[in-house]
Amino acid sequence: MGYRITMIGSGNLASHLAPALENAGHFVSEVYSRNQAAAKGLCSHLYDARHVNSPDFSQSKSAIFIIAVSDDAIEDVSSQIILPPDSILVHTSGTKSISLLSGFEQYGSFYPLQTFTKKKKISWEEVPILVEGSSQETTKHLLALARSISAKAFQAPEEKRKLIHLSAVYSANFANHLLYMAKSLLDEKDIDFTILKPLLSETLTKAFEIDPIKAQTGPAVRRDISTIREHLKILDNKEDFKKIYKDITENIIKVHSQS
């Protein structure tokens, strides 16, 4: 039997998560958001959800309430929420403690380890979902909800969840910024960014197949000082780019001299 769910938030995550939950047999009955237009738009993509304009859910029939807002807004939003008895409130943050919700009877976290953009389709079956509940019973319900949409649902206490989130920032957010820098260099000479795609695909595949430390290639690991100097010369008028290049190069040399 599916759960009745209320979504609190209407951004990128909510726009992906709510339909996925309905496709798994749950029923999203309400959407609350300070952005009423976005909430109404999300409701239009759901079976029979209604937009509500108050965080007073005392009369709601939902069993699980999911806060899908920015990390900085969780405390403020949760302080305004009124829940019906025996319901569960969760946030979707990778870093915030579930203690932010400790004023409620049952609470926890429901953190999908993925990046979300509204118009980019997500394969939820492959998305790791990390859950933490305030009690064994709460955790049981959150795991059941997570497993209904993903084959990779795990119980993860706060310390582990925060570490995974930090690793995600290194591997995804920082890597994406480096891709922006690479594209900027290519754009200056009208070179198509997609020329890097086969290289990036192979790099990522090797990292997971043989371990990143063994997959490392390039002038830094070879200590090819001549090439490194040539690269730095190209970056003479880009001090920010140059600093990042030097810092990462020095760290690669250090790591591989130890290994």
Side-chain angles (χ1 to χ4, degrees), residues 72-108:
D72 289 342
I74 292 172
E75 189 168 8
D76 181 46
V77 169
S78 63
S79 70
Q80 303 173 45
I81 293 172
I82 302 173
L83 294 184
D86 301 321
S87 58
I88 299 172
L89 179 67
V90 299
H91 65 55
T92 53
S93 170
T95 60
K96 294 296 183 180
S97 171
I98 65 172
S99 65
L100 286 178
L101 310 179
S102 61
F104 297 88
E105 183 182 355
Q106 299 180 82
Y107 56 93

Side-chain angles (χ1 to χ4, degrees), residues 110-136:
F110 188 92
Y111 170 52
L113 182 61
Q114 185 54 276
T115 177
F116 296 94
T117 304
K118 282 191 176 180
K119 294 184 179 180
K120 180 71 169 62
K121 190 174 180 181
I122 292 291
S123 176
W124 276 95
E125 184 71 12
E126 295 298 315
V127 176
I129 302 178
L130 313 179
V131 306
E132 179 185 8
S134 57
S135 67
Q136 288 186 348

Side-chain angles (χ1 to χ4, degrees), residues 42-60:
L42 177 54
C43 288
S44 70
H45 294 287
L46 301 172
Y47 176 66
D48 195 27
R50 64 188 183 95
H51 160 249
V52 295
N53 55 19
S54 170
D56 182 351
F57 303 109
S58 55
Q59 302 304 310
S60 175

